[in-house]
Amino acid sequence: WNFSPSSQHFATATSATMSSRGPTQEEIQKEYNRLQNQAQQLATKMSELDGEKNEHELVCQCLSKVSADRKCWRMIGGVLVERTVKEVLPAVDANKQQITQLTETLKRQLTDKLKEVNAFKTRYGLEVSKGADGGEPAPAEAPKSGAATGVLV
């Protein structure tokens, strides 16, 4: 078994090596932890993007209620620029759509990763207790309504 730090995959050395010895408990645990960490990272990113999408929706709702010629400010690449609502609203909506698409992609990746984790557990007969070891990643949660959003109208 080859577990180089730069490797992203759990790879076998040769079939001769596999027949003479299987992976050690330590190697199995390291690989399981790596898979779990990847799944947790995907879930965390989905949660972050869901919060951003909700903020974009709130901005779209607020801007749609004001005059299209009204001045507004938008942060672009760390620079605050003055625009009008009619210029900003389509851009914010487009960003929201891109975030939604990315979230769906991450959701599919997380589903695939969790299947991979479950297959790994089945292959090696692992029984994981839900406790101090972290267990399976928590599903992405939407931010609570009423939370600070940073939008000024």
Side-chain angles (χ1 to χ4, degrees), residues 46-55 140-149:
M46 280 179 52
S47 181
E48 290 172 11
L49 288 173
D50 193 45
E52 285 186 32
K53 184 184 83 162
N54 289 338
E55 287 181 10
E141 296 180 12
K144 295 178 180 154
S145 59
T149 59

Coordinates of all heavy atoms in Angstrom, one line a residue, residues 46-55 140-149:
M46 N -20.2 23.7 1.3 CA -21.6 23.9 0.9 C -22.4 24.8 1.8 O -23.2 25.6 1.4 CB -22.3 22.5 0.9 CG -22.1 21.7 -0.3 SD -22.9 20.0 -0.2 CE -24.5 20.5 0.2
S47 N -22.1 24.7 3.1 CA -22.7 25.6 4.1 C -22.3 27.0 3.9 O -23.2 27.9 4.0 CB -22.3 25.1 5.5 OG -22.9 25.9 6.5
E48 N -21.1 27.3 3.6 CA -20.6 28.6 3.4 C -21.3 29.2 2.1 O -21.8 30.4 2.1 CB -19.1 28.7 3.1 CG -18.2 28.4 4.3 CD -16.8 28.2 4.0 OE1 -16.4 28.5 2.8 OE2 -16.0 27.8 4.9
L49 N -21.4 28.4 1.1 CA -22.0 28.9 -0.2 C -23.5 29.1 0.0 O -24.1 30.0 -0.6 CB -21.7 27.9 -1.3 CG -20.3 27.9 -1.8 CD1 -20.1 26.8 -2.8 CD2 -19.9 29.3 -2.4
D50 N -24.1 28.3 0.8 CA -25.5 28.5 1.1 C -25.8 29.8 1.8 O -26.7 30.5 1.5 CB -26.1 27.3 1.9 CG -27.6 27.3 2.0 OD1 -28.2 27.5 0.9 OD2 -28.2 27.1 3.0
G51 N -24.9 30.2 2.7 CA -25.0 31.5 3.4 C -24.8 32.6 2.4 O -25.6 33.6 2.4
E52 N -23.9 32.5 1.5 CA -23.6 33.5 0.5 C -24.9 33.7 -0.5 O -25.3 34.8 -0.8 CB -22.4 33.2 -0.4 CG -21.1 33.5 0.4 CD -19.9 33.3 -0.5 OE1 -20.0 33.6 -1.7 OE2 -18.8 32.9 0.0
K53 N -25.4 32.5 -0.8 CA -26.6 32.5 -1.7 C -27.8 33.2 -1.0 O -28.5 34.1 -1.6 CB -27.0 31.1 -2.1 CG -28.2 31.1 -3.0 CD -28.6 29.7 -3.3 CE -29.6 29.3 -2.2 NZ -30.4 28.2 -2.4
N54 N -27.9 33.0 0.3 CA -29.0 33.6 1.0 C -28.8 35.2 1.1 O -29.7 35.9 1.0 CB -29.1 33.1 2.4 CG -29.7 31.7 2.4 OD1 -30.4 31.3 1.5 ND2 -29.4 30.9 3.5
E55 N -27.5 35.6 1.3 CA -27.2 37.0 1.3 C -27.5 37.6 -0.1 O -28.1 38.7 -0.2 CB -25.8 37.2 1.6 CG -25.5 37.0 3.1 CD -24.0 37.2 3.5 OE1 -23.3 37.8 2.6 OE2 -23.6 36.9 4.6
A140 N -25.0 20.0 5.6 CA -24.9 21.5 5.6 C -26.2 22.1 6.1 O -27.3 21.7 5.7 CB -24.6 21.9 4.1
E141 N -26.0 23.1 6.9 CA -27.2 23.8 7.5 C -27.3 25.2 6.9 O -26.3 25.9 6.7 CB -27.0 23.9 9.0 CG -27.0 22.6 9.7 CD -26.9 22.8 11.2 OE1 -27.0 23.9 11.7 OE2 -26.6 21.8 11.9
A142 N -28.5 25.6 6.7 CA -28.7 27.0 6.2 C -28.6 27.9 7.4 O -28.9 27.6 8.5 CB -30.1 27.1 5.7
P143 N -28.0 29.1 7.2 CA -27.9 30.1 8.3 C -29.3 30.4 8.8 O -30.3 30.4 8.1 CB -27.3 31.3 7.6 CG -26.8 30.9 6.3 CD -27.5 29.6 5.9
K144 N -29.3 30.7 10.1 CA -30.6 31.0 10.7 C -31.1 32.4 10.3 O -30.3 33.3 10.1 CB -30.4 31.1 12.3 CG -30.0 29.7 12.8 CD -29.8 29.8 14.3 CE -29.4 28.4 14.7 NZ -28.6 28.3 15.9
S145 N -32.4 32.5 10.1 CA -33.0 33.7 9.6 C -32.9 34.7 10.8 O -32.9 34.4 11.9 CB -34.5 33.6 9.3 OG -35.2 33.1 10.4
G146 N -32.7 36.0 10.4 CA -32.5 37.0 11.4 C -31.1 37.2 11.8 O -30.8 38.1 12.6
A147 N -30.2 36.5 11.2 CA -28.8 36.7 11.4 C -28.3 37.9 10.7 O -28.9 38.4 9.8 CB -28.0 35.4 10.9
A148 N -27.2 38.5 11.2 CA -26.6 39.7 10.6 C -26.3 39.4 9.1 O -25.6 38.4 8.8 CB -25.4 40.1 11.4
T149 N -26.7 40.2 8.2 CA -26.5 40.0 6.8 C -25.6 41.0 6.2 O -25.1 40.8 5.1 CB -27.8 40.0 6.0 OG1 -28.5 41.2 6.2 CG2 -28.7 38.8 6.5

